Amino acid sequence: MILSFIIPGQPRPLQRHRTRVVQLPGGRAFAQAYQPKENTVNLATVRQYARDAMQAAGHQDLLFDQPMGMEVRLWQLQPKSKVVGPKCRVSGTALLNRIFPVAGADVDNMLKLICDGCNQVVWRDDVLVCDKFASKRYTTGQPRTEVVIWTLDIDVAGPEVWARPHATETEQELPGFEEGE
């Protein structure tokens, strides 16, 4: 692991760009694409936490330009209760342990915010991220986004490339990747 940081608050996605029609004098018009204001604010927040983590790790003058891996854990605030079937409502610990946050923003857009926010702060460009692991869960504690970033060992070959260097031994075993397959 080379870097880890936590962004407090409800995890946010990178929203799609918006398009508006601009009218010119004389009746001509053109389409203009722009980023929503939320993207600007959310990207600045990610950049600040990434910059602080780089400085704390002693990498403030470094911009990585090699294959990278990352794990992102998105902890969303647990709703008070949730309807899971006709006239069936789940709440409390049962909700936390059995219901996944499948509504709202998708994991891909949340990851895109983190990746884009780390551009020119942690790495040259997010094209360098070759391994991504992500999870989106409910929490009864503080909502947050946990980010762990590491460099990939270029000399590694074989099943070891699926190992996350910071994971526990049981987390290392990824289903569906049996030896000899």
Side-chain angles (χ1 to χ4, degrees):
M1 173 180 68
I2 62 158
L3 188 67
S4 66
F5 56 95
I6 296 173
I7 303 168
Q10 192 74 0
R12 302 282 181 219
L14 185 70
Q15 296 184 12
R16 296 183 189 277
H17 72 277
R18 305 284 191 257
T19 306
R20 64 179 161 223
V21 176
V22 178
Q23 294 288 337
L24 296 175
R28 293 184 56 210
F30 67 93
Q32 181 183 40
Y34 67 96
Q35 289 290 336
K37 184 175 181 174
E38 298 85 17
N39 281 357
T40 306
V41 171
N42 293 336
L43 284 167
T45 300
V46 172
R47 284 189 184 107
Q48 187 58 54
Y49 280 98
R51 193 174 291 113
D52 292 348
M54 288 287 282
Q55 187 171 8
H59 302 311
Q60 64 270 14
D61 297 325
L62 184 62
L63 191 61
F64 289 96
D65 193 11
Q66 66 190 80
M68 305 293 288
M70 69 183 299
E71 180 170 6
V72 178
R73 294 184 181 181
L74 304 153
W75 295 98
Q76 296 183 329
L77 195 57
Q78 173 185 328
K80 302 235 185 284
S81 66
K82 183 172 179 125
V83 176
V84 293
K87 299 182 182 179
C88 181
R89 197 169 272 283
V90 178
S91 62
T93 334
L95 175 62
L96 185 64
N97 294 331
R98 297 185 184 156
I99 306 297
F100 291 95
V102 294
D106 61 59
V107 173
D108 292 341
N109 290 335
M110 293 178 173
L111 278 176
K112 189 66 178 154
L113 178 72
I114 303 301
C115 288
D116 285 357
C118 289
N119 284 343
Q120 298 300 312
V121 176
V122 176
W123 44 61
R124 175 182 49 82
D125 189 79
D126 57 336
V127 71
L128 295 168
V129 180
C130 298
D131 288 357
K132 286 183 189 176
F133 302 92
S135 62
K136 181 171 73 163
R137 300 288 188 271
Y138 285 131
T139 181
T140 55
Q142 295 298 316
R144 63 197 178 279
T145 301
E146 299 172 354
V147 180
V148 179
I149 298 171
W150 62 92
T151 56
L152 294 176
D153 186 356
I154 298 171
D155 297 328
V156 174
E160 297 83 26
V161 298
W162 294 104
R164 301 184 319 232
H166 62 282
T168 65
E169 191 171 310
T170 55
E171 288 177 317
Q172 292 285 4
E173 301 170 11
L174 296 175
F177 293 96
E178 302 297 327
E179 284 193 43
E181 286 188 5

